[in-house]
Amino acid sequence: EAQVTQNPRYLITVTGKKLTVTCSQNMNHEYMSWYRQDPGLGLRQIYYSMNVEVTDKGDVPEGYKVSRKEKRNFPLILESPSPNQTSLYFCASSTRGQGDGGYTFGSGTRLTVV
Amino acid sequence: SQKIEQNSEALNIQEGKTATLTCNYTNYSPAYLQWYRQDPGRGPVFLLLIRENEKEKRKERLKVTFDTTLKQSLFHITASQPADSATYLCALPMDSSYKLIFGSGTRLLVRP
């Protein structure tokens, strides 16, 4: 089944403790992206990657890091999480071509930083 | 800067009626526009893409229109069902890239 897999689904952590949220896709998509979703603010892009070893900042990159060493994986790293990073996070992937397909999203990771 | 507006108020309709949701954008000339469905706590699911040279697109009970003069897209669900209750998001590509920006969505409630 074509899908984007995020782990973990839920995470509660303490301020300052480094964490990684994993994202993997099995569709050979070139494009991958991370979003956070907060009430009243909608989906905001954190980082995106057009291909292996190519990453760029989205609209809200502060406090986050990413890497794209393999085509299928795009982990999101929070080096020193803070309470304002409490949010619902989504990973998404797509082909770079502008065909009739859209983004495929993962099921989300609900992160709470206390 | 580019801006996407969707009605933040929930749309509440009776089962069997047609639901119509609106997406307006400014400072933009997108090559295409997409619509997604999102259920609470879940990731958005892609529904339809319509290009700037297409006035209308249909998929089963869904119909999308794209008016580049009005800078507006309308999303219709005909013969609506309670299972159609969800939040619907529109999305447009940023400039000429494949980076999408999303509207904040409109919640649809279909009463049985």
Side-chain angles (χ1 to χ4, degrees):
Chain A
E1 180 189 354
Q3 60 186 358
V4 174
T5 303
Q6 284 180 239
N7 281 298
R9 186 83 171 87
Y10 299 93
L11 180 59
I12 300 175
T13 190
V14 297
T15 298
K17 185 176 181 182
K18 181 180 178 180
L19 66 91
T20 299
V21 183
T22 63
C23 174
S24 180
Q25 50 95 3
N26 62 0
M27 297 164 282
N28 201 36
H29 284 167
E30 296 88 357
Y31 185 93
M32 298 186 75
S33 182
W34 276 102
Y35 288 85
R36 61 177 289 174
Q37 188 172 37
D38 302 287
L41 296 177
L43 282 163
R44 294 180 294 167
Q45 191 176 53
I46 304 171
Y47 269 95
Y48 64 98
S49 170
M50 297 296 286
N51 215 323
V52 175
E53 302 291 1
V54 180
T55 64
D56 208 347
K57 296 177 181 178
D59 299 314
V60 288
E62 294 78 19
Y64 304 94
K65 284 176 57 177
V66 293
S67 67
R68 188 91 182 272
K69 294 184 171 60
E70 302 168 287
K71 197 172 188 178
R72 62 182 176 181
N73 295 324
F74 190 45
L76 179 69
I77 303 157
L78 285 72
E79 295 268 359
S80 183
S82 62
N84 65 10
Q85 292 178 297
T86 292
S87 186
L88 180 58
Y89 291 86
F90 290 105
C91 180
S93 74
S94 175
T95 59
R96 283 183 63 181
Q98 295 183 13
D100 283 333
Y103 282 13
T104 301
F105 281 83
S107 297
T109 296
R110 188 169 291 280
L111 172 66
T112 302
V113 184
V114 298
Chain B
S1 64
Q2 294 94 342
K3 190 175 179 182
I4 303 173
E5 291 182 346
Q6 293 186 258
N7 196 339
S8 58
E9 286 187 27
L11 178 63
N12 197 327
I13 65 169
Q14 184 73 42
E15 181 177 8
K17 301 292 186 184
T18 296
T20 299
L21 308 176
T22 305
C23 176
N24 295 300
Y25 57 93
T26 60
N27 300 325
Y28 238 149
S29 294
Y32 59 88
L33 183 149
Q34 299 182 357
W35 283 89
Y36 290 77
R37 169 186 172 137
Q38 186 175 24
D39 293 290
R42 311 296 294 181
V45 174
F46 171 72
L47 296 175
L48 279 169
L49 178 152
I50 185 166
R51 301 185 189 284
E52 60 180 340
N53 61 349
E54 298 174 313
K55 296 295 183 188
E56 181 180 298
K57 198 155 190 179
R58 293 174 185 261
K59 179 182 176 182
E60 299 172 353
R61 294 184 296 111
L62 308 181
K63 184 179 86 170
V64 172
T65 63
F66 193 10
D67 189 323
T68 56
T69 301
L70 291 179
K71 294 188 181 294
Q72 180 181 80
S73 175
L74 298 179
F75 176 83
H76 306 271
I77 305 176
T78 58
S80 59
Q81 304 166 0
D84 295 326
S85 298
T87 296
Y88 292 86
L89 310 171
C90 68
L92 298 97
M94 173 72 75
D95 302 319
S96 59
S97 73
Y98 199 53
K99 175 184 172 183
L100 283 183
I101 61 171
F102 286 81
S104 55
T106 299
R107 187 174 174 208
L108 172 65
L109 299 169
V110 182
R111 304 187 308 273

